[in-house]
Amino acid sequence: DAKTTQPPSMDCAEGRAANLPCNHSTISGNEYVYWYRQIHSQGPQYIIHGLKNNETNEMASLIITEDRKSSTLILPHATLRDTAVYYCIVRSANAGGTSYGKLTFGQGTILTVHP
Amino acid sequence: DGGITQSPKYLFRKEGQNVTLSCEQNLNHDAMYWYRQDPGQGLRLIYYSQIVNDFQKGDIAEGYSVSREKKESFPLTVTSAQKNPTAFYLCASSINREYSGANVLTFGAGSRLTVL
């Protein structure tokens, strides 16, 4: 799996957009980008994933650069409840029959939304 | 509502005791996972199971054991052989076939184990 690099922490004002970057310069053609978040003392929560096209759902938008070497998770109107650790994970959907879903969670980005 | 239930939420144990953490899911997922999280750290995979009656070691399986006798259940036993068992334990599940959604994990709320 490709390695990802995220800033250790970011701040955002409530009501503003939060843009969380992720670098995955060694991503291969069949690897997807997944985003999860973990609110303090809770289990991680899936947010969104994509391959090469931009994706949007009710929680967030995912923008992947054309060369796929980096991506940005966008929370359009951050609230205090969005304060969490955000994990960017790169993983193939074709694990060769061995296993799916074995994800590597690094340190992530601590997003703090302040009033 | 479909989801994953972990119990107990908090558990204290004395050194030398085995403890078993429960994980039950009603999502009809084939695959289940156990992760461990230490303070300020990411998650590390302990064991995973793709189908009933089969499971594989993850990155830090030493001192742990699991069973998968039913699709819905994947209990984790923390044995006395685990040197540093105090941690936050997370159970997860997913579908198990070749498509991008297979990496969409649903997590439980976690079990916090403290060894006294």
Side-chain angles (χ1 to χ4, degrees), chain A residues 20-115:
Chain A
L20 293 95
C22 180
N23 182 286
H24 33 79
S25 58
T26 61
I27 192 170
S28 61
N30 67 347
E31 289 181 316
Y32 286 73
V33 180
Y34 296 82
W35 283 84
Y36 284 77
R37 74 179 182 184
Q38 186 176 23
I39 295 170
H40 183 63
S41 294
Q42 297 183 22
Q45 175 189 26
Y46 163 79
I47 301 173
I48 197 168
H49 74 279
L51 182 63
K52 53 185 176 181
N53 297 321
N54 297 338
E55 302 288 344
T56 296
N57 64 19
E58 64 279 2
M59 290 183 67
S61 294
L62 174 60
I63 308 298
I64 302 174
T65 58
E66 190 169 346
D67 64 6
R68 303 211 321 123
K69 294 184 177 182
S70 66
S71 61
T72 301
L73 179 74
I74 301 173
L75 308 178
H77 305 286
T79 71
L80 299 178
R81 288 174 294 181
D82 292 321
T83 293
V85 179
Y86 287 78
Y87 297 100
C88 170
I89 300 167
V90 172
R91 177 72 176 168
S92 172
N94 174 5
T98 54
S99 68
Y100 310 105
K102 281 180 60 182
L103 302 183
T104 299
F105 288 80
Q107 301 268 24
T109 296
I110 300 172
L111 174 68
T112 302
V113 181
H114 50 84

Side-chain angles (χ1 to χ4, degrees), chain B residues 24-79:
Chain B
E24 303 279 333
Q25 55 102 356
N26 61 3
L27 298 166
N28 199 32
H29 285 167
D30 287 309
M32 297 187 74
Y33 313 83
W34 275 105
Y35 285 88
R36 167 183 171 142
Q37 187 173 36
D38 294 286
Q41 303 297 314
L43 281 67
R44 293 183 291 169
L45 183 65
I46 305 172
Y47 268 98
Y48 64 100
S49 168
Q50 291 179 273
I51 57 173
V52 175
N53 293 322
D54 184 63
F55 49 83
Q56 305 294 330
K57 293 182 179 179
D59 301 320
I60 55 164
E62 185 176 352
Y64 300 97
S65 66
V66 294
S67 63
R68 187 85 188 278
E69 298 176 0
K70 298 187 301 180
K71 185 176 184 177
E72 302 79 16
S73 179
F74 191 41
L76 173 74
T77 296
V78 184
T79 75

